[in-house]
Amino acid sequence: SGGSYLRAMKFAGDTSWMQDNLQQFMTMTRLSFELHKKHELQKTQDMFKWVADMNQKGREYQKNFLNYALRLFREATLQSYHTDEMTKMSQPEKEFMDRFHKVINHANILKIAGEFEKAVYAVERNGNGNLIFMDLCFLLNRELRRGHKAMTQK
């Protein structure tokens, strides 16, 4: 809820939004990361479908998802630097982050966070959802690859 009492009260009784956002986040990051593999055409088509589905959802849903994704990137960064005591995640989020946090590090987090913040701004200004989310997917592909490369060079 980001410190907002009203949002906390709204979300206290309903956790389905968090499960949905986590599922969307996992889908987006997996599709973006896997674009380089052999079956690139199928992964690209899956990504186009995901982007079209996100575009069909309302602006508030899109903004909430992007803010949720920013929070998860923050948590991944904290986990990458072994500051687990500072993370605030549910059990399903922790399970995903145990694998995902390895590709989020100093090499890519600033670029990712900046682009997601720009995407929130663009959605607020009625930007084209197809373009916004497709751009984010391609950016994630590039930056997650960079994070993976930095991780393997340690």
Side-chain angles (χ1 to χ4, degrees):
S1 64
S4 169
Y5 179 74
L6 292 175
R7 289 177 78 191
M9 292 303 292
K10 176 184 169 191
F11 296 138
D14 182 20
T15 60
S16 63
W17 67 273
M18 188 184 304
Q19 294 166 350
D20 184 47
N21 278 334
L22 177 60
Q23 188 60 45
Q24 294 289 355
F25 182 79
M26 290 182 343
T27 301
M28 179 186 198
T29 54
R30 286 179 178 154
L31 288 173
S32 297
F33 187 75
E34 294 174 348
L35 274 179
H36 73 287
K37 293 189 175 178
K38 281 184 183 179
H39 307 291
E40 191 170 324
L41 180 60
Q42 182 60 44
K43 294 295 180 185
T44 304
Q45 290 172 341
D46 292 344
M47 191 172 62
F48 282 134
K49 183 181 180 312
W50 181 84
V51 166
D53 289 345
M54 282 301 287
N55 190 44
Q56 294 300 312
K57 301 186 186 289
R59 298 277 179 216
E60 284 302 312
Y61 180 92
Q62 292 172 356
K63 286 190 321 187
N64 287 336
F65 168 73
L66 291 169
N67 285 316
Y68 176 82
L70 275 167
R71 185 182 70 79
L72 284 187
F73 283 121
R74 176 196 177 274
E75 302 294 346
T77 305
L78 289 173
Q79 204 168 1
S80 290
Y81 292 106
H82 308 292
T83 55
D84 294 337
E85 66 277 356
M86 295 177 67
T87 61
K88 299 172 186 140
M89 295 183 282
S90 67
Q91 190 58 37
E93 290 171 339
K94 285 180 186 175
E95 290 170 5
F96 178 70
M97 284 297 162
D98 284 341
R99 297 178 306 275
F100 180 70
H101 82 274
K102 297 170 185 166
V103 295
I104 300 296
N105 52 43
H106 67 281
N108 59 12
I109 188 58
L110 293 177
K111 180 76 170 167
I112 291 171
E115 291 299 319
F116 270 75
E117 288 169 358
K118 286 180 188 176
V120 171
Y121 181 80
V123 168
E124 287 173 346
R125 302 297 181 264
N126 290 329
N128 184 326
N130 283 325
L131 294 176
I132 294 166
F133 285 101
M134 186 59 69
D135 187 47
L136 283 176
C137 287
F138 287 134
L139 167 99
L140 273 179
N141 174 261
R142 194 172 50 249
E143 295 303 322
L144 294 178
R145 296 271 116 224
R146 178 177 293 154
H148 181 70
K149 186 176 180 181
M151 177 192 73
T152 56
Q153 291 178 349
K154 284 184 178 180

